[in-house]
Amino acid sequence: MSKIIYTLTDEAPRLATYSFLPIVEAYAAKAGVEVEPRDISLAARILAHFPERLTPEQVEPDELAALGALAKTPEANIIKLPNISASVPQLKAAIVELRSQGFDLPDYPDEPQSDEDIDVRARYDKVKGSAVNPVLREGNSDRRAPASVKQYARKHPHRMGAWSPDSKTNVATMGHDDFRSNEKSTVVAAEGSVSIEFTAADGTKTVLRSAVPVTQGEVIDATVLHVAALRSFLKEQMARAEAEGVLFSVHLKATMMKVSDPIIFGQVIRVFFDEVFQQYGDDLAAAGLNPNDGLNAILVGLDSVSNGAEIKAAFEAVLAKGPELAMVDSDRGITNLHVPSDVIVDASMPAMIRTSGHMWGKDGAEHDTLAVIPDSSYAGIYQAVLDDCRAHGAFDPTTMGSVPNVGLMAQAAEEYGSHDKTFQLPGEGTVTVVDGSGAVLLEQAVETGDIWRMCQTKDVVVRDWVKLAVTRARATGAPAVFWLDESRAHDAQLITLVTTYLGDHDTEGLQIEILSPVDAMAFSLERIRRGEDTISVTGNVLRDYLTDLFPIMELGTSAKMLSVVPLLNGGGLFETGAGGSAPKHVTQLVQQDYLRWDSLGEFLALAASFEHLATTTGNARAQILADTLDRATASFLDENKSPGRAIGTIDNRGSHFYVALYWANELSQQTADADLAADFASLAGVLGGAEEAIVGELIAVQGSPVDIGGYYRPDDAKASAVMRPSATLNEALAAL
């Protein structure tokens, strides 16, 4: 039997799966396709690393490792839903919940001292941040808005806030002494390994990481962000925000960049509340309250500190004094500095751009904002968008073009693979990358507290990236633009490789450009305002940023993108969009039994998965499922059956019903397989005849609180009951 792996993840996508997966399993079975769920949620990954502390019934297999191995095989066909890239506060919250459910897990050690603490911390660190994506992404990324989605967005445009040419919203970035400006890069001459060594000012040598495997031809980079310069920059921007009368906000990636960006976030809090840390820094440290975890973690922790009320008052005094902070939730007093995972740059910046360049102030009103993105590697792309909107106004979703993306991400390419090679330095000295012969490949001077990192990008991955870019340009006829800056060390190496590998392909008649990110952004914006499409061919971080930015402007959300990862060894990984809005949807479900999560990404990924299965296994019925699901999704969009905005309308569960109905109709009417048509004719009749009853059952439960048994690890029975409240629909699927 052919097989599709369907991942169980976190938050709203996990809850939606309780409703949608039974539909998928029932329909797939008719094509001889097994749909196998695999749990890679944050909770499951935590439990998988502590088997010796659990009872036999509690032990969870390491499904992520198993899927990582599968992703390297031609048989791989994996549908991957959004998962939590856990910040430390999220990780700690998950541990607390799991312990309350009876799992004997140790505390997360902030400052491990004993060998046991060091071991526990190392295990937890394996599930922190972007632990899932680098394991599964054994291929480069092809992300685009399907034609049906784009057509729907043009017919039913989302709201875009008006822009004023007098807007004072801007991006502030360091431009010196940061990761971009200090970057050094080289190409590895021969397969082997390198070590990372820190030599202190007194000559003491410490090996930070030994035996990092490297392959011939891969690009390795090393860079450092100087914390003293960061602190000076932050002070200047706080003064600037106050002087210009705009909100102060910081935008980082404290989930994916799980070592460097939490440290930077902590420095923002230290500088903003400098007088508090000067007076009470020792008290906070003694209580284990780390600013890297965010202001909220400190304020909550102060409840158990003897002089906590006094310290809390000091924090409140600084907040009142200014500059005024942007708010995540003005009603609840949640500022931009409260929780690191609340201000993820690729989600927060597009939201600002979509809302007239505004963020929310503590008064509950919109205001111009100074968006602080400390490292200058990619900050300029957002300034380019702000300047374009100031000059030309908001984008028009009814006419604007698209910017699909081909992303270099396989085998933990670039920054997102740097976590195990990122260090905060304990003193002044030098960090070197040394090969097996003792030769120094890269070297940087560092000072106390500086953040140093090394990145790797495999040659085979770059070759595949170039091939995919040419393939997409040929398939679409759109220009393909490599977003690479010749003045940046890493990009200069890639430009040489890209220029070489383009020669391996027939590019006659194609428009392929290499532009700096800022110039590429300007080029793309000019084209999308004319309604023209432009393929962005980017590195890993820009892939993340752009596949939120452009879809949010075009479609109102990044969850409606088709995300295909052609795996290097012939398999397929099919991702279902971004999960940035997932937490708030869970809150609404628990309070009101209403889930507004949009599963369109799941529908798109599933169709692509069936098509891949048909191509690789010759399963003709899988192709029929793919084709009919595509047509059903088009009907779903045309009939506007996405979750409504308020109780009393269909939510996520209602969307699933309508996809099931339209899909059954399409299957019953297709002529390629009479037996399959007959199988679904009865179901289509039952679902169509019972539409009013089923919708009534789905809406009737709305409005009251529900118990799903846990946020990070829901109880399967409780969550399934909540997400499958229509007995009529459940019986129809069972009959199939």
Side-chain angles (χ1 to χ4, degrees):
M1 177 178 272
S2 305
K3 181 182 288 189
I4 291 172
I5 302 297
Y6 204 99
T7 57
L8 307 178
T9 57
D10 303 287
E11 299 176 321
R14 173 64 170 259
L15 295 173
T17 298
Y18 285 107
S19 168
F20 187 51
L21 186 56
I23 298 170
V24 177
E25 291 171 330
Y27 284 52
K30 290 297 182 181
V33 177
E34 178 186 357
V35 181
E36 180 180 328
R38 297 281 193 97
D39 194 345
I40 58 169
S41 65
L42 174 60
R45 289 183 282 122
I46 290 172
L47 295 174
H49 286 291
F50 294 94
E52 78 284 357
R53 300 181 67 109
L54 307 177
T55 67
E57 296 75 23
Q58 291 177 327
V59 171
E60 290 277 353
D62 191 344
E63 297 287 20
L64 179 59
L67 292 186
L70 178 64
K72 297 176 182 178
T73 69
E75 297 76 29
N77 190 318
I78 304 169
I79 295 178
K80 190 263 175 185
L81 279 71
N83 63 280
I84 292 174
S85 294
S87 63
V88 171
Q90 288 173 303
L91 182 58
K92 290 179 177 179
I95 295 167
V96 169
E97 178 179 300
L98 288 168
R99 290 175 68 169
S100 74
Q101 294 174 343
F103 296 96
D104 180 26
L105 294 173
D107 288 328
Y108 177 85
D110 288 298
E111 297 181 8
Q113 301 296 327
S114 67
D115 290 344
E116 181 182 0
D117 282 351
I118 292 170
D119 173 62
V120 168
R121 172 67 176 266
R123 295 197 212 186
Y124 278 134
D125 283 352
K126 289 180 181 178
V127 301
K128 208 166 67 177
S130 58
V132 172
N133 292 338
V135 175
L136 298 184
R137 287 173 172 168
E138 279 290 319
N140 290 310
S141 169
D142 173 10
R143 284 188 175 181
R144 57 190 186 271
S148 58
V149 173
K150 186 66 175 174
Q151 290 166 8
Y152 175 81
R154 285 182 164 166
K155 286 196 286 187
H156 306 276
H158 64 95
R159 188 183 70 83
M160 295 282 281
W163 270 78
S164 165
D166 300 322
S167 169
K168 295 187 288 184
T169 293
N170 284 293
V171 171
T173 192
M174 291 176 70
H176 59 83
D177 293 312
D178 60 356
F179 289 130
R180 185 200 181 283
S181 59
N182 290 326
E183 188 173 70
K184 296 182 180 180
S185 184
T186 190
V187 175
V188 175
E191 184 171 348
S193 65
V194 299
S195 61
I196 302 169
E197 300 174 355
F198 169 58
T199 304
D202 64 3
T204 303
K205 185 173 291 187
T206 304
V207 177
L208 299 175
R209 176 82 192 274
S210 62
V212 178
V214 293
T215 56
Q216 182 178 5
E218 81 170 79
V219 178
I220 62 171
D221 316 314
T223 188
V224 59
L225 183 144
H226 295 304
V227 169
L230 170 66
R231 291 180 62 85
S232 296
F233 163 76
L234 292 171
K235 289 177 183 176
E236 292 167 2
Q237 302 318 311
M238 290 169 189
R240 174 184 172 185
E242 193 158 27
E244 295 180 0
V246 297
L247 303 179
F248 176 89
S249 64
V250 63
H251 304 262
L252 293 163
K253 190 79 171 179
T255 50
M256 298 289 275
M257 300 308 300
K258 60 186 179 184
V259 179
S260 59
D261 283 25
I263 296 171
I264 296 171
F265 191 84
Q267 286 295 337
V268 177
I269 292 177
R270 288 181 184 275
V271 172
F272 196 94
F273 298 100
D274 186 47
E275 59 193 72
V276 179
F277 279 90
Q278 286 189 36
Q279 185 172 358
Y280 299 106
D282 291 342
D283 296 336
L284 293 169
L289 301 178
N290 189 339
N292 297 7
D293 296 342
L295 178 59
N296 187 66
I298 294 175
L299 297 178
V300 170
L302 287 174
D303 290 339
S304 57
V305 176
S306 59
N307 60 340
E310 177 184 335
I311 301 175
K312 191 176 291 188
F315 277 108
E316 296 292 345
V318 173
L319 284 173
K321 188 166 55 177
E324 189 172 340
L325 282 172
M327 306 296 288
V328 170
D329 188 335
S330 55
D331 291 340
R332 296 194 296 137
I334 306 300
T335 74
N336 181 261
L337 300 184
H338 265 65
V339 183
S341 55
D342 277 349
V343 285
I344 304 304
V345 58
D346 44 323
S348 58
M349 287 301 298
M352 171 200 286
I353 292 163
R354 185 184 171 193
T355 314
S356 310
H358 295 155
M359 293 186 74
W360 298 97
K362 62 184 179 183
D363 58 358
E366 297 177 21
H367 298 275
D368 289 342
T369 304
L370 182 63
V372 175
I373 305 174
D375 179 47
S376 58
S377 295
Y378 309 110
I381 67 165
Y382 292 115
Q383 184 65 50
V385 180
L386 298 178
D387 290 341
D388 184 89
C389 289
R390 240 189 305 269
H392 304 293
F395 296 94
D396 183 354
T398 66
T399 60
M400 67 187 293
S402 291
V403 184
N405 181 263
V406 173
L408 175 68
M409 70 175 193
Q411 300 184 358
E414 302 187 319
E415 295 97 326
Y416 286 168
S418 68
H419 316 309
D420 58 351
K421 299 174 290 290
T422 301
F423 307 94
Q424 186 167 32
L425 282 308
E428 182 182 351
T430 304
V431 178
T432 53
V433 178
V434 182
D435 70 12
S437 71
V440 174
L441 303 182
L442 300 165
E443 181 176 15
Q444 265 118 359
V446 297
E447 298 174 355
T448 303
D450 286 355
I451 309 165
W452 184 97
R453 76 179 183 211
M454 173 183 153
C455 308
Q456 299 174 260
T457 307
K458 302 284 192 293
D459 179 66
V460 65
V461 172
V462 178
R463 290 176 185 265
D464 181 78
W465 179 53
V466 173
K467 176 185 175 183
L468 185 56
V470 173
T471 300
R472 293 305 303 158
R474 178 71 64 192
T476 63
V481 180
F482 286 84
W483 294 44
L484 297 170
D485 188 344
E486 63 183 2
S487 69
R488 180 180 171 188
H490 169 79
D491 285 10
Q493 299 284 8
L494 286 192
I495 288 172
T496 299
L497 296 176
V498 167
T499 303
T500 299
Y501 298 150
L502 282 172
D504 297 337
H505 303 280
D506 175 15
T507 59
E508 185 176 353
L510 304 181
Q511 183 180 354
I512 297 179
E513 310 275 354
I514 300 176
L515 300 173
S516 73
V518 170
D519 290 342
M521 178 60 81
F523 178 81
S524 302
L525 293 176
E526 182 180 349
R527 287 179 58 81
I528 65 173
R529 285 191 182 276
R530 296 200 302 263
E532 298 171 343
D533 299 344
T534 311
I535 301 169
S536 59
V537 189
T538 72
N540 208 350
V541 173
L542 273 176
R543 170 198 59 81
D544 228 4
Y545 290 6
L546 299 187
T547 55
D548 269 319
L549 174 64
F550 288 112
I552 286 173
M553 293 193 297
E554 293 175 50
L555 314 173
T557 175
S558 57
K560 296 181 179 181
M561 295 287 281
L562 175 61
S563 182
V564 177
V565 182
L567 299 173
L568 296 177
N569 289 326
L573 175 68
F574 306 92
E575 300 188 89
T576 67
S581 62
K584 67 181 181 183
H585 293 317
V586 180
T587 300
Q588 185 176 18
L589 176 81
V590 171
Q591 294 175 348
Q592 301 177 329
D593 200 357
Y594 188 88
L595 186 67
R596 200 179 150 197
W597 174 257
D598 190 340
S599 288
L600 179 62
E602 285 97 299
F603 310 155
L604 301 173
L606 181 60
S609 171
F610 278 128
E611 183 168 24
H612 177 78
L613 196 68
T615 302
T616 55
T617 68
N619 185 331
R621 284 191 163 186
Q623 186 63 58
I624 293 172
L625 288 180
D627 294 340
T628 52
L629 179 54
D630 271 338
R631 294 197 291 271
T633 301
S635 297
F636 167 85
L637 290 169
D638 285 341
E639 297 296 330
N640 196 21
K641 297 304 182 182
S642 296
R645 291 184 172 272
I647 289 177
T649 59
I650 62 165
D651 70 349
N652 175 264
R653 296 163 288 192
S655 288
H656 295 163
F657 160 66
Y658 277 106
V659 164
L661 171 62
Y662 299 147
W663 196 5
N665 284 336
E666 294 291 345
L667 282 162
S668 68
Q669 295 167 20
Q670 55 81 29
T671 58
D673 188 316
D675 290 339
L676 196 62
D679 283 341
F680 281 94
S682 175
L683 178 64
V686 170
L687 295 182
E691 177 182 356
E692 184 176 343
I694 291 171
V695 171
E697 289 171 346
L698 295 174
I699 291 178
V701 298
Q702 297 174 7
S704 301
V706 292
D707 176 15
I708 57 173
Y711 183 92
Y712 294 97
R713 189 176 184 274
D715 178 278
D716 285 339
K718 291 180 178 179
S720 181
V722 168
M723 292 304 300
R724 303 189 69 199
S726 170
T728 307
L729 175 58
N730 298 344
E731 290 166 6
L733 291 173
L736 178 67

